[in-house]
Amino acid sequence: MTEDVTRDAGDSETYALKSAELAEIAAPDLPYRPPMPKSYRPRIGVIGTGGISGSHLDAYRAAGWEVAALWNRTRSKAEAKAAEYCPKARIEDAWQDMLTDGAIDVIDVTLHPEQRAPIVEAALKAGKHVLSQKPFVTDLDTGESLVKLAEDRGLKLAVNQNGRWAPHKAWMREAVLAGLIGDVISAHVAIHWNHGWTAGTAFDEIEDLILYDFGVHWFDFLASLAPGRARSVFASAAPAHGQANKVPLLAQALIRLDGGQASLVFDGGAPHGPRDTTFVGGTRGSLVSDGPDLGLQTVTLTTEDGVARPKLEGQWFNDGFRGTMGELLCAIEEDREPSNGARANLQSLAMAFAAVRSRITGREVEVGDARRLEG
């Protein structure tokens, strides 16, 4: 048996939020696992073979998808990735050669945002479906232009927001979409971990490393739970005492929703005792996820019927990467918009951009007012 909080308006002791026992019930079977197309098996071209591409390629190999070609500015890096993950893939001297190959249907662009947008545009103009690494773009106008280009040409453009298919996030999202907790009224995330490994790396040059580069996963999670409901953001950032990084490792954001509220707390400078906790409250129930890191999470669903604890399978890395590409392939096969489509992702970016402007100005910022990444 498990306890639930109750209150009796006539009893002052109930202000202590005493709890009542609830029955343990079976967890519903939800489609939280990475999606797989029924029969569509395109050839994939990957542009950019830096560090994160290994997670892409490993996921595609596990799913049985063919990577036909790789390109990287440094050819030897592309050759090394091919040898490890897809030895039959050819190495291109120019990424444009993938776009003229009629046998390649899908292009996965893993480069940094400032390099990525013109390549995504060229791929769409060449008639290719595209999976773009996150963050999708650094300004909303560019993003809207790419979305319109894809739509005008009947192509699918998706974003590699791989956190969407972390098992705990995916199960909670599907529970919300299934109406199991009613309408979302609150969502609160608190993550405590040591991000100090980024000191002295290229990540240490990103001013809003935590709030933007890391935090965009959770702005995207909020957007998937309450699409179109984010109204404003108030955010701040600060260095952690004793941190080696040049940029702040602590950040937080308050998000005003239409008919609700949300908060994100990122303690990226906690050297011991990591913890990741998420609470999502609705009009008919709640969801809680808790664990020592992003991979080991226990999820609880509580409603008037009782408490359910699903047994989750998989890990964020690399199921999340199989999920983003799998959803794009399913969308192509079924001729529909992918759930991680670029148009919807602009809502996530609008929240992130508002958070960065708020951090800079110290003021609450309306979602959509900040059209580009600042700082």
Side-chain angles (χ1 to χ4, degrees):
M1 304 290 282
T2 304
E3 298 180 335
D4 191 19
V5 173
T6 61
R7 287 184 58 177
D8 181 350
D11 184 356
S12 62
E13 291 186 4
T14 61
Y15 283 96
L17 299 179
K18 291 186 177 181
S19 54
E21 291 186 343
L22 289 175
E24 295 278 347
I25 60 175
D29 185 15
L30 298 174
Y32 73 93
R33 297 171 183 83
M36 285 284 292
K38 293 177 182 178
S39 60
Y40 182 53
R41 295 293 185 272
R43 303 177 81 217
I44 300 169
V46 177
I47 297 178
T49 60
I52 198 63
S53 68
S55 295
H56 294 234
L57 296 170
D58 183 57
Y60 304 164
R61 178 177 61 182
W65 299 325
E66 180 186 358
V67 174
L70 300 172
W71 174 88
N72 196 74
R73 182 175 57 185
T74 304
R75 184 183 176 91
S76 60
K77 291 184 178 180
E79 291 172 339
K81 284 294 194 301
E84 184 174 1
Y85 298 106
C86 46
K88 293 183 180 180
R90 69 177 184 270
I91 310 302
E92 301 284 18
D93 290 321
W95 57 263
Q96 292 88 344
D97 291 340
M98 291 189 204
L99 307 190
T100 59
D101 184 348
I104 293 179
D105 287 350
V106 177
I107 298 293
D108 181 7
V109 186
T110 74
L111 301 172
H112 295 296
E114 59 274 14
Q115 304 164 318
R116 194 162 54 237
I119 294 178
V120 171
E121 180 180 9
L124 292 171
K125 287 181 176 178
K128 309 298 185 183
H129 304 288
V130 177
L131 179 66
S132 167
Q133 177 63 14
K134 69 85 190 170
F136 171 40
V137 289
T138 55
D139 74 86
L140 299 181
D141 292 338
T142 296
E144 289 175 356
S145 175
L146 292 173
V147 166
K148 185 177 186 304
L149 176 61
E151 292 175 346
D152 287 348
R153 304 210 171 202
L155 298 166
K156 310 304 179 187
L157 173 59
V159 180
N160 186 35
Q161 290 286 173
N162 45 78
R164 285 199 175 202
W165 280 274
H168 64 291
K169 284 184 169 185
W171 201 92
M172 286 190 285
R173 181 188 68 246
E174 293 301 324
V176 169
L177 293 176
L180 299 183
I181 67 168
D183 296 325
V184 172
I185 57 176
S186 64
H188 303 287
V189 176
I191 305 177
H192 320 280
W193 84 110
N194 186 3
H195 212 60
W197 65 269
T198 56
T201 72
F203 289 104
D204 206 14
E205 303 300 322
I206 303 174
E207 179 65 25
D208 288 282
L209 172 65
I210 302 300
L211 198 58
Y212 168 64
D213 185 75
F214 182 81
V216 72
H217 284 295
W218 282 268
F219 286 116
D220 185 69
F221 179 57
L222 291 177
S224 73
L225 297 179
R229 290 177 55 192
R231 294 293 173 260
S232 67
V233 182
F234 180 79
S236 64
H241 181 73
Q243 70 169 54
N245 290 69
K246 294 190 297 183
V247 298
L249 293 183
L250 310 178
Q252 55 191 337
L254 300 176
I255 301 95
R256 180 166 54 86
L257 303 176
D258 180 15
Q261 64 178 6
S263 65
L264 305 176
V265 175
F266 303 121
D267 290 336
H272 305 291
R275 206 76 202 166
D276 176 5
T277 302
T278 299
F279 174 88
V280 182
T283 54
R284 295 175 49 204
S286 65
L287 292 155
V288 175
S289 179
D290 181 68
D293 56 44
L294 298 176
L296 297 174
Q297 290 281 304
T298 299
V299 174
T300 303
L301 165 67
T302 303
T303 68
E304 64 179 2
D305 296 327
V307 177
R309 306 178 198 278
K311 295 185 182 299
L312 302 181
E313 300 175 351
Q315 293 283 328
W316 183 333
F317 281 63
N318 289 329
D319 287 337
F321 296 84
R322 186 153 54 96
T324 54
M325 178 59 82
E327 173 62 9
L328 173 59
L329 300 185
C330 287
I332 297 169
E333 183 178 59
E334 299 164 17
D335 192 21
R336 60 169 175 80
E337 178 70 5
S339 63
N340 57 331
R343 178 170 291 285
N345 189 251
L346 294 176
Q347 297 181 34
S348 309
L349 287 177
M351 276 192 278
F353 295 168
V356 171
R357 178 178 289 184
S358 177
R359 189 271 304 170
I360 294 171
T361 63
R363 299 176 180 175
E364 182 178 4
V365 175
E366 296 291 317
V367 173
D369 281 0
R371 300 295 299 173
R372 61 184 57 83
L373 179 64
E374 301 175 0

